[in-house]
Amino acid sequence: MQLTKPFFVLAPMDDVTDTVFRRIVADCAPADYTVTEFVNVDGLCSRGRSKVIRKLGVELDTTPVIAQIWGKTPENFETIAREIADGTIPGFAGVDLNFGCPEKSVVKNECCSAMQQPELRDKALAIIQATKKGASSASRRIPLSIKTRLGFDKIDYTWHEFLLEQKPAMLTVHVRTTRQMSKVPAQWSAIEPIVALRDKISPDTKIVLNGDIMNKKQGIELAKKHGVDGIMIGRGIFHDPYAFALESPWADVSREDRIKLLKKHIELHDQTYPDGERPFSPLKKFAKLYISGFPGASELRDKIMHTETVAEALEVLG
Ligand SMILES: Cc1cc2nc3c(=O)[nH]c(=O)nc-3n(C[C@H](O)[C@H](O)[C@H](O)COP(=O)(O)O)c2cc1C
């Protein structure tokens, strides 16, 4: 795919960016790439595979999707990367390593953003090498990308230097440390030394800036200012499903069309997971996105929050 600079990526968000929501976003205004929710390779290689693998469904996608994986055991990273490359797990343009999740349970288990700590660098290297091996061992090679933060306790550019030495195709940096969670504003200019390291160590790696970026227009300005190749938008999409449009029509979208969009989301969810593989309840949080900006929106949202099934929600929406 020929990418314009900057290119745009819909951020991976657990319990949000499944194939249904990725399709909703693509139909409003598509990103250049999307990323799945993070999926555990150890779970995929266990008896519980059938439950976990549902997160890697791509049946509704119309935009290239990258599979994001995390876990503990290098051999399992290799196995899953190979399955993604050879099409056993079909439909992906690449594989992404989650080295950025700050959740306590994950960090305690020395996974994801814990990898940024210097004492775990050997483990990180083993995971990267295993994933690369899997991703290049099938007849179809797929690119490896990495998503991380600025460091664990503090900004640590030796981490990004180490990652760039592994020559990933893309390196996305959520410009906060793990300790900062999402509690402080994103430090956009902190990406600049990483761009300089890229120029020196791995000129072919695309650098993607992530954190507090609300829409395409702002993304274009920030990419120019900080010299990055791509922009990743996460929570901005909760404010505007057209976040990837240059000129979003969202402010002028009528009450009827907003309700229609929520109905479409619920109906696609129901068609995609007919056996309840993914529950209805987490869907309700999307009401805040669609049902806003018109008189009576908060009352309607409240009614939706009290529904318990797809049928009830559709009835409330009329
Ligand atoms: C509900 C939610 C779920 C998330 N799940 C993931 C995930 O599965 N993998 C990941 O790398 N990041 C995850 N993130 C982090 C986002 O991808 C992104 O890095 C972060 O929200 C900052 O970007 P933003 O300010 O544009 O939202 C999640 C964020 C949110 C809000």
Side-chain angles (χ1 to χ4, degrees):
M1 183 161 82
Q2 202 57 18
L3 288 172
T4 48
K5 190 175 166 180
F7 61 89
F8 281 82
V9 187
L10 174 63
M13 288 188 280
D14 197 33
D15 256 346
V16 176
T17 54
D18 68 337
T19 187
V20 173
F21 188 57
R22 295 194 302 259
R23 176 58 177 269
I24 295 280
V25 174
D27 286 352
C28 288
D32 295 298
Y33 283 103
T34 61
V35 188
T36 66
E37 306 157 89
F38 70 155
V39 183
N40 187 285
V41 292
D42 305 314
L44 284 170
C45 291
S46 75
R47 281 211 213 144
R49 177 180 172 105
S50 62
K51 273 195 184 155
V52 188
I53 203 156
R54 204 62 197 89
K55 283 191 164 183
L56 292 177
V58 291
E59 53 270 60
L60 298 183
D61 283 280
T62 52
T63 304
V65 195
I66 298 166
Q68 190 188 64
I69 55 176
W70 71 286
K72 204 153 172 77
T73 317
E75 294 73 33
N76 292 340
F77 279 88
E78 182 183 338
T79 301
I80 298 306
R82 183 180 304 110
E83 289 188 5
I84 292 169
D86 72 15
T88 304
I89 300 174
F92 291 103
V95 63
D96 186 76
L97 291 176
N98 181 324
F99 285 163
C101 177
E103 258 176 50
K104 254 195 195 145
S105 56
V106 160
V107 167
K108 212 169 139 197
N109 207 16
E110 298 190 339
C111 294
C112 297
S113 79
M115 290 290 166
Q116 295 173 113
Q117 299 169 102
E119 62 271 27
L120 294 181
R121 215 140 284 181
D122 285 351
K123 283 192 178 171
L125 183 62
I127 286 173
I128 295 168
Q129 286 178 340
T131 309
K132 268 189 171 171
K133 195 170 161 199
S136 59
S137 61
S139 55
R140 183 182 75 115
R141 283 167 166 257
I142 52 167
L144 168 78
S145 60
I146 297 171
K147 180 167 179 279
T148 190
R149 288 181 171 242
L150 287 174
F152 195 75
D153 293 309
K154 55 181 177 18
I155 296 180
D156 177 6
Y157 291 123
T158 68
W159 166 242
H160 308 94
E161 189 174 0
F162 159 78
L163 291 179
L164 286 162
E165 279 161 1
Q166 316 314 317
K167 314 259 186 245
M170 180 167 95
L171 176 63
T172 302
V173 186
H174 174 188
V175 283
R176 292 182 175 98
T177 65
T178 297
R179 287 277 176 249
Q180 289 170 333
M181 304 289 281
S182 284
K183 291 177 189 154
V184 301
Q187 299 153 261
W188 294 319
S189 54
I191 196 117
E192 289 174 14
I194 300 172
V195 174
L197 282 171
R198 183 278 308 274
D199 293 346
K200 218 167 65 186
I201 302 169
S202 181
D204 291 337
T205 300
K206 305 288 184 214
I207 302 292
V208 177
L209 177 63
N210 168 238
D212 293 349
I213 304 169
M214 298 303 288
N215 54 49
K216 187 162 188 172
K217 212 167 180 178
Q218 184 191 18
I220 290 172
E221 280 164 22
L222 286 171
K224 208 164 157 195
K225 183 163 178 200
H226 301 293
V228 297
D229 305 286
I231 294 289
M232 177 179 276
I233 297 178
R235 291 163 302 170
I237 206 75
F238 296 145
H239 298 272
D240 182 352
Y242 293 82
F244 293 102
L246 204 47
E247 298 289 342
S248 168
W250 188 235
D252 299 321
V253 171
S254 67
R255 174 186 186 277
E256 287 65 35
D257 286 344
R258 285 171 186 242
I259 291 174
K260 239 191 229 167
L261 207 49
L262 176 56
K263 279 171 93 172
K264 174 175 162 181
H265 192 147
I266 294 172
E267 280 162 1
L268 285 178
H269 177 96
D270 201 36
Q271 287 158 24
T272 308
Y273 310 113
D275 301 324
E277 304 103 295
R278 294 193 76 139
F280 163 71
S281 195
L283 259 195
K284 291 193 272 189
K285 63 177 174 286
F286 288 98
K288 210 167 169 197
L289 159 61
Y290 306 111
I291 308 299
S292 63
F294 59 82
S298 114
E299 290 79 3
L300 183 54
R301 270 203 314 266
D302 200 46
K303 278 188 193 159
I304 294 162
M305 294 316 278
H306 284 91
T307 61
E308 277 171 19
T309 62
V310 165
E312 277 176 36
L314 292 176
E315 198 182 317
V316 164
L317 292 171

